[in-house]
Amino acid sequence: MKKSIARHWLIPAVIVLSASVYFSFNWPSGGPTLNAPTVQYNSVKNQYEYFFTLGSLPTPADSFDASHTLVVPAANDFDNWRVLATFDDGTYWMGTKAAFESTGFAFEQTGNHSVQVEVAPTYDDTNTNPGRIANGSFNVNSAHSTPGAAAQRTPAMPAGSMVRLGSSLSPRKGNILTYIIEYQNPTDGRCDNLNGDLKLYVDKNVINYDVTDEFETSTAATAADVTLNGVVYKEITLPFQNLNRGARRNAFVRCTTSTAVNTATHYNTPWVDFIAPQSPACGVAIQAQSSLPSQTIVDSHDPNNKVVAEQNICMTQDSVTFTVTFQNNGTGPTDKIVVEDELHYLLKNESPKLIKWPTAQMPVVSPPGNDRKVVFTLDPYALRGLNEEGLNTSFSEADTKASISFRCAIDPVKAAQYPCNAILNRARIRFDCNPWMETDLAAAYINCQSCDTCLTVADSAYFVNDTFPVNGIPILTPGLIDLIQSPPFTFGFNKQLWYPGADLNQPTDLNPVFSNPKHQQYTLIVSQGNTATTCTRGRLDITYDNDCDLGIQVNTSGLQIDPCTGVVNGTLTATATGNHSGNLQWHECPENGLSMSRQLVNTTQLKYYFGLTDEDTGCSAEIIYEIKLPPCNNGGGGGGCFGNVSWPAAAAAVAALLLLIRLVGRRFLKKS
């Protein structure tokens, strides 16, 4: 993608300076803990940095079927937690938990400090883990003080801008979110010592707010209901005083989203007014405004999903309609998105009819061949990223999601032969060159004799995880054959269908043979009945495990490092190791083949992501490779270097392989 996984380590921290303000209040009990920070000396920046870690985080729930376990690649700095950290030196930081824990924070003022961290899951299917607050304190001694630390990490507001509104999260039903108001008196402003109010307006029917939830300066907020254009808003007033020319401040208003709202509901956009009445020093009144982009209630489910419009179909029905939704969680917009879909045995092997797509130009549709796979290509397509800078300020989370819908024709002859069975479907989604992601399984059950009358069906679902045998051997091991002959499957079924079937010699056999096994889930539906008076089904889900041992090795020969400035030059070459087919796609487009290289020219970046996927087996591997700086010969204590040393980067001495992950899970989740 345009800013791929490899760039996740480069995403700038959103850290903003304000005056000396702090806040203190409590949020629901339970949830995360903030561990005492560790202190490390950064020889390149010549400063001491504090690193924080979070503990006691619950595992977000996955409500998909038992066979469909989520696999989150730990090597990627995307994780399932969003963090807003606010410090008492007037700065704040937003990003993922992994990025927060790998960021070093420097402080100027000595003595005791406090930090408050808002942590909320990005995805949580049962929505049982709402946002929580962790509080911590630490001490900065005189030896660890960094003059101007807060100002150095303060990004500029737009030229001439006086106020900017943002939020920590997109609104989720019943979940926490914090509105962040940045405001300033520009250096070229007319007045010193501005006094006035910030007035934040939120839709009262959607956003819950209590005056005790505001935290900013010494002056307390007030709140009142106001009706504007027929809509009831909560007007939250935050006074400010003595805002000198060039001064920057922040205000924070913590709220929750109502539990009564529905997902995908658009609601009235929040905005903030900056009001400084006329004063003798200025002679004029000053007013400015900032609003968030169009707001939509988002859900807490994995967005890479597939659903079927008709969950109960009749034997004479001519088509079924599928919708595939997807979301980019990357640090920048995509260049291309590809959706691959294998048509079920009971569908006609022809191109589906596109009904809905997100781009102005219709996607390119590659028709199915003998493998029954149809491919939809959105190229170019710049879908915004969930971890892209500007989220919840210049664009909303709704802009990171999209979907396509298509109608597939049912084969009437085959459908008549399989009453009471089901049409299954699962899509694969690829963002640029990143690993494929599988959606959950969509099922349309043949429960109806006619399109007017459907049966109540006794389903006997049974989920089993097992390791398949090697290529050319029947799909079911003896143990699984015994299972099929035991309850709940002993109801005398007479029809069976496997999905997907492209890798099987015959998907209509109970015990087919692999022709080209993939590392994925296979589903068997067995049934008996005639959709007239009786109908009973059973389901078996099994995952093929082809013992992925794909790995990555990084060669650093010839790499040159200046240990005092941290400047690196040379070549990093990543090579695939272990068993693989040779049909390899590196996650950094457009690289493919056995190896790929990165040319490093006068850079101080030390962490590099490498990832690849074996297109034939479905196995993937990822690493984050960190170049370790050798000691700088500066006499210690953070002083200047006595001389620059060109240090050859022997792999064992200077480069540390932080994370090597062989991803053998059944599903790649939210890669971008």
Side-chain angles (χ1 to χ4, degrees), residues 608-665:
Y608 293 89
Y609 169 88
F610 294 96
L612 80 163
T613 298
D614 189 322
E615 299 291 280
D616 291 341
T617 66
C619 296
S620 287
E622 297 180 307
I623 64 170
I624 292 174
Y625 196 81
E626 182 178 19
I627 301 170
K628 292 294 187 181
L629 295 179
C632 173
N633 185 21
N634 61 5
C641 292
F642 291 114
N644 289 337
V645 179
S646 182
W647 196 284
V654 243
L657 188 61
L658 287 186
L659 294 170
L660 172 57
I661 296 183
R662 293 183 175 90
L663 297 176
V664 296

Side-chain angles (χ1 to χ4, degrees), residues 29-51:
S29 60
T33 57
L34 190 63
N35 301 320
T38 60
V39 184
Q40 300 179 25
Y41 176 68
N42 187 323
S43 61
V44 175
K45 295 182 179 180
N46 192 24
Q47 64 186 26
Y48 285 92
E49 296 176 341
Y50 289 72
F51 290 82

Side-chain angles (χ1 to χ4, degrees), residues 139-262:
N139 183 273
V140 176
N141 62 41
S142 58
H144 295 166
S145 173
T146 302
Q152 292 173 9
R153 60 184 185 234
T154 305
M157 290 178 64
S161 172
M162 301 193 74
V163 65
R164 179 167 58 187
L165 179 63
S167 65
S168 60
L169 294 162
S170 293
R172 278 180 168 77
K173 185 176 181 177
N175 210 348
I176 191 173
L177 81 162
T178 298
Y179 290 107
I180 303 165
I181 307 171
E182 305 168 54
Y183 61 106
Q184 68 176 354
N185 187 349
T187 55
D188 58 354
R190 306 184 201 180
C191 311
D192 274 330
N193 300 318
L194 284 180
N195 300 320
D197 294 314
L198 299 171
K199 290 184 176 289
L200 174 65
Y201 296 87
V202 295
D203 189 334
K204 185 182 178 183
N205 292 324
V206 177
I207 302 299
N208 297 326
Y209 167 79
D210 186 276
V211 69
T212 61
D213 295 340
E214 174 269 336
F215 53 107
E216 190 249 0
T217 58
S218 57
T219 305
T222 58
D225 294 345
V226 297
T227 301
L228 302 171
N229 298 322
V231 178
V232 179
Y233 290 90
K234 180 70 73 175
E235 180 190 67
I236 305 161
T237 302
L238 299 92
F240 62 87
Q241 296 178 340
N242 300 321
L243 187 64
N244 294 323
R245 188 182 286 115
R248 292 269 309 271
R249 296 180 188 171
N250 302 322
F252 306 87
V253 179
R254 184 155 288 146
C255 303
T256 56
T257 305
S258 170
T259 58
V261 297
N262 295 319

